Each structure stands twice: as structure tokens, then as C-alpha cells.
Amino acid sequence: MTDLVSESPQGLTRQPEPLELLAEWLTALQRQVDAGELSATTATTYRIGMQKLATWAQTNGTTLVPDSIRAWKAELLAAGMKPGSVSTWLSGVRAFYSWAQESGRLTNNPAQHVKGATRRGTTKRHKRQALTDSEVLRVLAIPDRLTAGGKRDAAVLHLMVYTGARTIELQRADLADLRTESNRLVLAVHGKGHQESDDVVVIANPDAESALRDWLAVRGPEAGPLFTSLSRRTKGDRLSLPSFRQMVKATFKSAGVVGEGKTTHSLRHTAATAALRNGAPLQKVQSMLRHANVA
């Protein structure tokens, strides 16, 4: 058979297969992280999503076209993966093809018109439930504050309950982000969708400040992540996002807090609900949660 590349007119070359570009794309992702255009967490999410599709395509000997991406998406849903998780992995696929097009490596984007997974039979907004006052007290009483791990977990839980801090904000926070403003302890955080610590969480509750300082006494003054791993293998490293969520989930279980709508994000929802119930103006709660829109 005639070699189409060698016989093609000058300047016309074969496009690389998408999977041939993965290594180059990963380098480009790291370049975006280094330039402050993308968080390391987002880059990792994108990488995992695209690698999941690549593994599936190689296993099935499938060419990556819109229908094959939809077939992969359908298999994930059929296997019981939550729609939100499927959409997260799909965001990595979209990021890969956007880069491939923008860099001139590919001329078409098969993921462009593949929609994210949606929850069936529900509204788009997930119904999260706030914890009751008694549930909050039980949750905060679970960590053993005589141990280093208990002090760390208590600090995380108190900050989430009393300040409405997001899990990702606490996971990204460094010790250097703690400072004093107007005689108050505050934590500079990466707001949602931001790459810099340009929002602040005010730690006004005495119990939350006490829990945080107990952890700081154990953590020590060394520069680096605010919340660190205590395991032998990764001691001192930044505590991973899954570790935050697993800790909250385990604490809920130990405290007897049950309910499909009660998740890690429920602690943030609890902070807002408690503030409104105790007479805080809506605009003040909006400011506490760092929401751009009061809705």
C-alpha cells in the first residue's frame, strides 16, 4: 500500500494519534501549574481523567471519537460511578483536547459536544443537609485531642463548622497563610476558582481558634502546608483531599450522623445555616462564605 505521508503534498503531514500526545500534554499541564495558571489539584484531576479514558481505549482497541467517548462515559455510569465523578473525569478529557487543538497538534476535538453526566430524577443543585446542633456537638467531640491526629482533625472540623471554610481551601492552605488582622486571627485562602490566596477566613470563634492553636503546637513552626500527614510514609507532606473527606466521613460514622444529604460539604452548609438562624444578616453570611452571588 502506498505510504500516504510520503506521497502527500509538501507540508501535509500525518496527525499524531491522541494517545501519542499524552506525555507532551502532561508537560504542558505542569507548565501551567508552574506559571500559576492552574492549581496542582486541578492538574492532577485532569491527568487522571484523561488517563482513565486512555486506558479504556487501549484495552478496548478503540479509536477516540465522540461516540467512543460517550461509550466510555456510559460504562462508568453503568458501573455505578456517580454522575459528578464521571463529569469530573470528563473535564480532564476536555482539557486534553482543548490543549491539543490550541497547540495545533490536532485539528478536531471529539469531546467538544460530549455532555457531562447529569443526575436523573433530581434537580441540578444537590440537596445538602445541615447538621443539627446536637450532631455538631457529637462530631466535634469525636477527635481524641490528646493525640496529634486528634488535634489536627479537631482543628479541621472546628474551622469547617465555625467559619464555613471549604475542604479544598483548608487542603491548599499553608502556615504562612495565617495572620492577624484587626486583632483577629485570619486565614488567607484560595477562593473557589482562584489561583492565589486572595480571600480570607476569619477565625472569630474561640473554640475554633483554640482547636487550631492546639494543632499548631503539635505541627511546629516549619514552613509548609497548614495541615500535614502524620503517617510514617508521608509524614510532613500536605494532607491529601481524599484524606480530608475520609476523616469527615469516619467522624460522621462514629458520631452517628447519618443521611444521604449529610456530606463533608454539610459542615459548610451548617456554618451558614447556624449564622442565619442566630440573626446574622444575609450579606454577612454571603461574605463569610465568600460567595460572589447572594443567591
Side-chain angles (χ1 to χ4, degrees), residues 17-19 50 53-54 56-58 61-74 90 93 96-97 106 108-115:
E17 291 295 326
L19 299 186
M50 186 57 197
L53 175 62
W56 176 86
Q58 289 172 331
T62 302
T63 302
L64 290 177
V65 295
D67 278 350
S68 62
I69 295 175
R70 291 188 180 98
W72 168 68
K73 184 178 109 176
L90 188 57
V93 176
F96 167 78
Y97 278 107
L106 295 175
N108 67 315
N109 182 349
Q112 184 175 3
H113 300 296
V114 178
K115 296 181 179 180

Side-chain angles (χ1 to χ4, degrees), residues 166-235:
R166 296 181 177 93
T167 312
I168 187 63
E169 292 172 339
L170 296 183
Q171 195 268 339
R172 289 176 174 176
D174 290 329
L175 183 63
D177 293 325
L178 273 175
R179 61 176 184 259
T180 302
E181 289 184 359
S182 303
N183 202 35
R184 302 177 304 181
L185 185 65
V186 302
L187 176 66
V189 297
H190 291 210
K192 189 175 182 181
H194 297 191
Q195 300 305 318
E196 299 178 354
S197 298
D198 53 2
D199 280 336
V200 295
V201 168
V202 178
I203 307 170
N205 181 274
D207 291 338
E209 181 175 346
S210 177
L212 178 57
R213 292 197 185 280
D214 284 347
W215 161 243
L216 292 175
V218 172
R219 181 201 174 282
E222 299 82 9
L226 179 58
F227 293 105
T228 58
S229 170
L230 296 171
S231 68
R232 183 178 303 175
R233 186 171 59 87
T234 59
K235 188 171 183 179

Side-chain angles (χ1 to χ4, degrees), residues 49-92:
M50 186 57 197
Q51 287 181 338
K52 282 181 179 289
L53 175 62
T55 299
W56 176 86
Q58 289 172 331
T59 301
N60 291 274
T62 302
T63 302
L64 290 177
V65 295
D67 278 350
S68 62
I69 295 175
R70 291 188 180 98
W72 168 68
K73 184 178 109 176
E75 281 195 20
L76 293 178
L77 292 170
M81 185 170 286
K82 293 182 179 180
S85 297
V86 174
S87 294
T88 296
W89 304 138
L90 188 57
S91 69

Side-chain angles (χ1 to χ4, degrees), residues 262-284:
K262 292 182 178 178
T263 65
T264 303
H265 196 78
S266 292
L267 297 177
R268 179 171 163 83
H269 191 47
T270 298
T273 302
L276 291 170
R277 195 174 67 239
N278 285 282
L282 188 60
Q283 287 73 18
K284 188 171 182 178

